[in-house]
Every structure is written in structure tokens, then in C-alpha cells.
């Protein structure tokens, strides 16, 4: 076979090969961070019969995620203030970011925490648990949803009601 024919046909062979590997069809996770705030009436750091959820509480949420893509590896942080709803729940939706995976394991380096900023109830405004220490990561099988559920935060009254809180 003549080498000039091979030389002329080689660009056609190269053009027939795909230049890019098609990116993954799996979408980036939609991440939700959430938790609750309650009034610890008996000041015993537990949700008792007389405790109630606190609406209108200001909470600061801080998250750190490790993003890994074929080209880069970096840390991405999110900080936001949220207000609890009528059921004492605060929630932060984090947009999809390339390279962030939902992690059930802290070894991956993703973490979130929340801390109390201010209470809406003058009768329950002494901080109990001021910041979260634990989180549970839940990865949904549907829609690539990832939920970070943070441990409960609480406020206490300045003086517990001893009539309500007797053992």
C-alpha cells in the first residue's frame, strides 16, 4: 500500500473519533440543610411535654463542601442566615455545584453547622444549645436530593417554671 494514501486518509480517521468524552448524565445534587429550634421550658436540654417549637428565630448556617472535578479540587463555603417558620424549622437550599457529592461520610469533607443569632420570644430567649455539633446526611434515590439534617437548637426561659417541670 502506498504511504501517501495512508497519509491522506489518516486525518479522516482522526476526525471520525470523538474529541470529547461526553460528560456524566448524572445531575449535581440539590442540597438542603435544615434543622429545628425549640423552647426548652424545663431547661434540661431535652424536648419535654411543655417544650414548643419557636417561630421567627434567626439562625446562621455555615457549610463547607469539597468539590472534585477532573480538572480541579477546591473547598466551597456557604454562609446564610435563615428564620424559622411557624413550626420552628429553618431551611437552606444550596444550588447545584459541579463536583459536590452528597456525602454520608465526614471523610469526604462536607459539613454544615448552625448557630443561634436571636430569639423571637421574650419569654424564651436564653440560649441553650447555641450551635449544632451533629448532622445526619440523607441521600434520596429520587432527583439526586441530599438533605443535611442538623441537631436541634434551643432557647430557655430566664427562670424555669418549677410547677411545670417537676419530675
Amino acid at each position: 500500500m502506498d504511504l501517501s494514501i495512508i497519509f491522506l486518509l489518516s486525518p479522516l480517521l482522526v476526525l471520525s473519533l470523538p474529541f470529547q468524552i461526553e460528560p456524566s448524565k448524572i445531575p449535581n445534587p440539590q442540597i438542603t440543610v435544615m434543622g429545628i429550634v425549640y423552647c426548652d421550658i424545663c431547661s434540661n436540654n431535652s424536648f419535654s411535654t411543655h417544650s414548643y417549637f419557636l417561630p421567627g428565630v434567626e439562625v446562621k448556617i455555615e457549610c463547607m463542601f469539597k468539590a472534585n472535578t477532573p480538572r480541579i479540587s477546591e473547598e466551597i463555603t456557604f454562609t446564610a442566615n435563615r428564620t424559622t417558620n411557624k413550626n420552628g424549622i429553618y431551611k437552606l437550599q444550596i444550588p447545584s455545584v459541579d463536583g459536590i457529592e452528597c456525602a454520608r461520610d465526614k471523610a469526604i469533607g462536607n459539613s454544615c453547622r448552625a448557630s443561634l443569632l436571636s430569639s423571637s420570644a421574650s419569654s424564651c430567649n436564653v440560649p441553650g444549645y447555641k450551635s449544632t455539633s451533629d448532622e445526619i446526611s440523607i441521600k434520596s434515590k429520587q432527583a439526586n436530593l441530599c438533605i443535611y439534617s442538623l441537631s436541634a437548637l434551643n432557647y430557655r426561659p430566664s427562670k424555669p417554671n418549677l410547677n411545670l417541670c417537676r419530675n
Side-chain angles (χ1 to χ4, degrees):
M1 184 174 223
D2 188 4
L3 288 176
S4 60
I5 294 174
I6 294 175
F7 182 72
L8 290 173
L9 292 177
S10 62
L12 293 174
L13 286 171
V14 171
L15 289 174
S16 68
L17 297 174
F19 278 106
Q20 289 184 349
I21 297 173
E22 198 168 307
S24 172
K25 298 289 183 190
I26 300 171
N28 295 323
Q30 175 64 42
I31 299 170
T32 301
V33 180
M34 59 189 308
I36 60 167
V37 181
Y38 67 95
C39 181
D40 178 12
I41 291 291
C42 296
S43 300
N44 59 4
N45 288 325
S46 66
F47 194 87
S48 67
T49 308
H50 305 290
S51 298
Y52 57 92
F53 296 108
L54 283 172
V57 173
E58 291 291 320
V59 178
K60 179 179 182 179
I61 304 167
E62 299 170 285
C63 293
M64 191 276 301
F65 298 100
K66 296 221 181 219
N68 292 307
T69 65
R71 291 183 270 167
I72 59 169
S73 178
E74 62 186 340
E75 284 186 2
I76 299 171
T77 58
F78 293 92
T79 302
N81 293 351
R82 290 293 183 261
T83 304
T84 57
N85 65 14
K86 66 180 181 177
N87 300 312
I89 298 171
Y90 60 88
K91 185 175 8 178
L92 171 65
Q93 301 281 359
I94 298 175
S96 295
V97 176
D98 191 30
I100 292 180
E101 296 181 18
C102 182
R104 292 183 189 164
D105 188 353
K106 286 193 181 206
I108 291 190
N110 298 347
S111 65
C112 291
R113 60 177 280 153
S115 51
L116 295 172
L117 295 176
S118 65
S119 175
S120 60
S122 59
S123 61
C124 193
N125 60 4
V126 176
Y129 284 132
K130 297 179 193 178
S131 66
T132 59
S133 57
D134 297 324
E135 66 183 52
I136 298 171
S137 166
I138 303 165
K139 185 174 182 178
S140 171
K141 293 181 181 179
Q142 297 178 358
N144 208 18
L145 176 66
C146 182
I147 299 171
Y148 284 85
S149 178
L150 304 179
S151 56
L153 300 171
N154 66 11
Y155 279 101
R156 302 172 177 168
S158 57
K159 294 181 181 178
N161 183 331
L162 298 177
N163 292 329
L164 286 176
C165 301
R166 289 188 182 145
N167 289 341

